[in-house]
Amino acid sequence: MMGYGGHHPGQPSMAEALTAAIESLLIEKGLISSDAIDAVVEKYERDIGPLNGARVVARAWVDPEYKSRLLTDATSAIAELGIKGMQGEHMVVVENTPEVHNLVVCTLCSCYPWPVLGLPPNWYKTPAYRSRAVSDPRGLLREFGLELDENVQIRVWDSSAEIRYMVLPERPAGTEGMTEEELASLVTRDAMIGVAKVRPPKKS
Ligand code: FE
């Protein structure tokens, strides 16, 4: 039997093939426009998925015991918040610190933790991202606008069908008085992939 989320370079996954088939059927029957489908996908990609990850990060920032569980058994700790599902069965969360910056990639295809981050952005699936994350992570991050100090060590994590990684970004300065919900609103998808940092809130 074919499984979901295996490495099938050059070949759409079962989920992608099913999605494409359903999409063309709906369009053919005049039930839905291609634009409407794009809007749904975009919503999942931008909002629904990454919002779940942001809740996990914010909880870890305010609750040291939760954070410790998250770093030792991410799948269970994430499930504590009611978040689980396909492509998130074996999660590992890696913590950014002032000394270490983590970056997530899938060098073979586009393995990605759907339940916490939604659908992967297009750039995540490109050969350029997948190869440069390994060969020149510092230069790649610079292109994302993230300039890291020379003395910061970069660790690259290769997601696979077996393990999906997510970055626990550093909590920015100036957020001491913020609620968990406010903190979650600062956390971006890119920060949880490791191509950005979480920015401090704008001063009002
Ligand atoms: Fe993959």
Side-chain angles (χ1 to χ4, degrees), residues 131-201:
S131 61
R132 290 198 58 211
V134 176
S135 65
D136 178 25
R138 205 171 286 273
L140 178 73
L141 291 177
R142 200 173 292 126
E143 279 173 35
F144 275 93
L146 180 56
E147 180 82 45
L148 292 174
D149 265 14
E150 281 299 314
N151 54 8
V152 173
Q153 187 200 344
I154 301 175
R155 290 187 191 151
V156 179
W157 302 86
D158 195 355
S159 278
S160 68
E162 286 74 38
I163 300 178
R164 306 297 163 101
Y165 295 95
M166 183 183 108
V167 175
L168 173 59
E170 285 175 89
R171 178 172 175 167
T175 58
E176 289 74 17
M178 292 178 77
T179 65
E180 191 175 332
E181 203 174 7
E182 288 167 338
L183 288 168
S185 73
L186 299 176
V187 181
T188 63
R189 173 196 71 195
D190 287 4
M192 295 181 280
I193 300 175
V195 296
K197 286 181 180 248
V198 175
R199 298 203 182 153

Side-chain angles (χ1 to χ4, degrees), residues 5-7 106-112 159-161 164:
H7 282 115
C106 170
T107 55
L108 285 179
C109 44
S110 56
C111 295
Y112 194 74
S159 278
S160 68
R164 306 297 163 101

Side-chain angles (χ1 to χ4, degrees), residues 17-167:
L18 272 174
T19 307
I22 291 167
E23 176 175 340
S24 43
L25 190 65
L26 290 173
I27 292 169
E28 191 183 301
K29 301 279 179 200
L31 295 176
I32 190 167
S33 73
S34 174
D35 283 352
I37 291 173
D38 286 348
V40 169
V41 168
E42 187 145 304
K43 173 112 185 122
Y44 203 84
E45 188 176 294
R46 296 245 177 104
D47 304 333
I48 297 170
L51 269 181
N52 281 342
R55 280 169 56 212
V56 171
V57 169
R59 176 65 57 87
W61 282 348
V62 300
D63 181 343
E65 286 177 11
Y66 181 78
K67 176 174 149 184
S68 137
R69 292 200 295 282
L70 184 66
L71 295 175
T72 48
D73 181 356
T75 312
S76 302
I78 290 167
E80 281 179 43
L81 302 189
I83 303 164
K84 53 182 110 177
M86 220 166 64
Q87 313 289 309
E89 295 90 345
H90 303 287
M91 290 289 310
V92 170
V93 171
V94 287
E95 182 187 19
N96 280 353
T97 67
E99 294 81 32
V100 175
H101 183 89
N102 296 285
L103 175 66
V104 177
V105 65
C106 170
T107 55
L108 285 179
C109 44
S110 56
C111 295
Y112 194 74
W114 297 1
V116 277
L117 296 188
L119 301 177
N122 282 329
W123 53 257
Y124 184 84
K125 304 183 245 182
T126 60
Y129 179 79
R130 285 156 40 202
S131 61
R132 290 198 58 211
V134 176
S135 65
D136 178 25
R138 205 171 286 273
L140 178 73
L141 291 177
R142 200 173 292 126
E143 279 173 35
F144 275 93
L146 180 56
E147 180 82 45
L148 292 174
D149 265 14
E150 281 299 314
N151 54 8
V152 173
Q153 187 200 344
I154 301 175
R155 290 187 191 151
V156 179
W157 302 86
D158 195 355
S159 278
S160 68
E162 286 74 38
I163 300 178
R164 306 297 163 101
Y165 295 95
M166 183 183 108
V167 175

